[in-house]
Amino acid sequence: MIVFLHCGFLFYHAYEYLNESLFQNILIHEAKQLERPFNKSSEILDNFFDTQVQKIISITNDASFDHMDYKKFLPFIKEKLKEDKTFEKFIVGTPKGEFYNTHGGNPHFNMIRTFDDTSEDTRPRSIRRRDYWKQTVGSNEQHKKKIFISSPMISYTTSVKQIVVAASIVRDGRVVGMVGGSLSWDIMKPFLIDLKNNFSHPERIYLSLIAPNGTYWYHWDRAKIIHPLKNFQGNNILDNFGENVAVSSFVQYDKNDSVALIGREVLKGKRGFETFEHNDKRYSAFYGKLDNSGYALIAASYTPKEESILLAILFVLLSIFLTELVVYFLKRGLL
């Protein structure tokens, strides 16, 4: 009878171990285990962004920008682009919001980018609505050298998905413009995918890289990555300014309430771990902001419940064995 009671007691606890609350504990444990590879990935991203920022600062300090003469700075940045394949293009913005870049220009407008660079009967494009211009020039009333890494956007002139690393051009105590380096999706994607190799099971890792305003720059669901809005004919839809209409997704407004909660926390600068459900699968996640760029990273890991249950069964069987072993030695007075 005692043996039956003892077995019943053990199997009751085995059941408790396998129930939902315990699976949640397993997921939390998995989330905590993500911290070390998460930190390594964050450090790699920080170093990458810091390197690009230093490149842009160096460019803004060049003498070719002293008088903002396009005949001097355009050849300079074009040569820099040949030397550095990390950037898709360089952009030079003026205090008025007009801009030059390394992909062309209108000779009728002193190489300013226009809506038709072959015509003199056109108008200049403008980056006044771009966050990187606003931060480094438009709202820079104190005329300081400001650095900014933009939110994801669709390029006005090349239509690529990009983020822009920007810095103010300051001469004689005044902001006279800005330089931006475009980091395209094609450049960033393989770099971000490679980050998964820092984790013990890369095939189970799902990364999200999030801009300061909450826009997804990288996500395992391609539909959440910024892309141009297209019509039924497959052509890009343009807004009233003649620019591409972009479709963006924001982590703080994610349809998954648990992910949206993580998003709101990480945008506040908080760091930690959480679990969530997506498409009937349970995930562990570790999240936090990068040190200098304003971007945030979420690393999620999928742990199959069957695998967790198998581990739990092995744990319970081991517990039963050890318990019976203790009982055996107690009966014989060996303990």
Side-chain angles (χ1 to χ4, degrees):
M1 183 66 181
I2 293 175
V3 173
F4 282 117
L5 288 173
H6 180 62
C7 289
F9 175 81
L10 289 174
F11 279 107
Y12 170 77
H13 281 281
Y15 168 78
E16 285 295 304
Y17 192 89
L18 297 177
N19 70 13
E20 176 62 22
S21 64
L22 192 52
F23 181 49
Q24 177 72 5
N25 289 336
I26 293 172
L27 289 174
I28 291 174
H29 173 75
E30 291 290 331
K32 291 179 180 179
Q33 298 306 304
L34 294 173
E35 182 172 11
R36 182 173 292 181
F38 176 93
N39 289 341
K40 184 177 180 181
S41 299
S42 296
E43 183 179 355
I44 291 171
L45 278 169
D46 273 323
N47 291 337
F48 173 79
F49 280 127
D50 287 346
T51 299
Q52 311 321 312
V53 165
Q54 292 307 314
K55 291 176 186 176
I56 297 300
I57 291 174
S58 176
I59 289 173
T60 63
N61 291 335
D62 190 80
S64 62
F65 290 99
D66 287 350
H67 302 288
M68 292 300 289
D69 182 353
Y70 74 92
K71 294 178 182 178
K72 292 183 178 180
F73 66 69
L74 275 180
F76 170 68
I77 59 175
K78 286 179 180 179
E79 189 61 33
K80 282 291 183 182
L81 191 65
K82 291 179 183 178
E83 297 172 4
D84 191 341
K85 302 302 181 183
T86 308
F87 293 105
E88 184 258 345
K89 63 177 170 293
F90 289 120
I91 305 157
V92 177
T94 72
K96 292 172 61 177
E98 297 170 349
F99 68 98
Y100 309 82
N101 71 22
T102 47
H103 273 262
N106 191 325
H108 303 289
F109 286 75
N110 294 329
M111 298 310 290
I112 288 283
R113 295 308 308 258
T114 63
F115 283 92
D116 182 355
D117 285 339
T118 65
S119 172
E120 58 183 26
D121 186 22
T122 185
R123 58 190 175 91
R125 290 179 179 268
S126 173
I127 52 174
R128 292 181 67 87
R129 294 186 296 159
R130 295 301 206 194
D131 57 358
Y132 63 85
W133 182 87
K134 291 178 181 178
Q135 291 293 325
T136 57
V137 180
S139 63
N140 192 356
E141 296 176 354
Q142 297 180 332
H143 295 274
K144 291 184 176 181
K145 174 82 103 179
K146 287 192 174 183
I147 313 299
F148 187 75
I149 300 176
S150 78
S151 299
M153 66 191 73
I154 305 297
S155 171
Y156 286 156
T157 56
T158 60
S159 296
V160 300
K161 293 178 281 192
Q162 66 177 12
I163 59 175
V164 174
V165 180
S168 310
I169 304 170
V170 180
R171 295 293 187 272
D172 299 323
R174 296 195 65 80
V175 172
V176 295
M178 51 74 54
V179 172
S182 164
L183 297 172
S184 73
W185 173 245
D186 289 338
I187 290 170
M188 293 292 294
K189 183 181 178 181
F191 175 77
L192 291 166
I193 290 175
D194 193 51
L195 286 181
K196 296 200 293 186
N197 293 325
N198 295 318
F199 297 81
S200 57
H201 295 286
E203 71 281 0
R204 295 183 185 175
I205 296 300
Y206 300 85
L207 297 178
S208 298
L209 185 61
I210 299 156
N213 68 348
T215 309
Y216 286 115
W217 177 225
Y218 183 80
H219 195 279
W220 65 85
D221 181 354
R222 291 179 58 187
K224 292 187 178 181
I225 300 169
I226 188 170
H227 55 277
L229 183 65
K230 296 181 180 294
N231 58 24
F232 290 113
Q233 288 75 40
N235 300 317
N236 292 0
I237 295 176
L238 305 180
D239 61 18
N240 294 332
F241 298 92
E243 308 295 358
N244 292 314
V245 175
V247 180
S248 300
S249 296
F250 298 83
V251 65
Q252 66 270 38
Y253 307 124
D254 199 285
K255 291 181 180 178
N256 186 312
D257 290 339
S258 297
V259 174
L261 178 61
I262 292 173
R264 289 192 289 273
E265 291 295 291
V266 76
L267 291 177
K268 293 176 185 175
K270 294 185 178 180
R271 173 187 173 91
F273 56 88
E274 192 53 83
T275 65
F276 65 92
E277 187 171 326
H278 176 67
N279 290 341
D280 297 323
K281 294 180 179 179
R282 300 292 292 277
Y283 292 81
S284 309
F286 199 93
Y287 59 88
K289 269 203 170 185
L290 305 182
D291 285 341
N292 301 318
S293 64
Y295 272 68
L297 183 66
I298 299 176
S301 173
Y302 167 59
T303 302
K305 191 168 186 177
E306 296 78 9
E307 181 178 303
S308 298
I309 290 175
L310 178 60
L311 291 173
I313 290 172
L314 291 174
F315 175 81
V316 171
L317 290 175
L318 179 61
S319 298
I320 292 173
F321 172 76
L322 291 175
T323 302
E324 292 298 335
L325 194 63
V326 169
V327 171
Y328 173 83
F329 281 119
L330 284 173
K331 284 182 178 180
R332 282 156 182 75
L334 299 175
L335 287 177

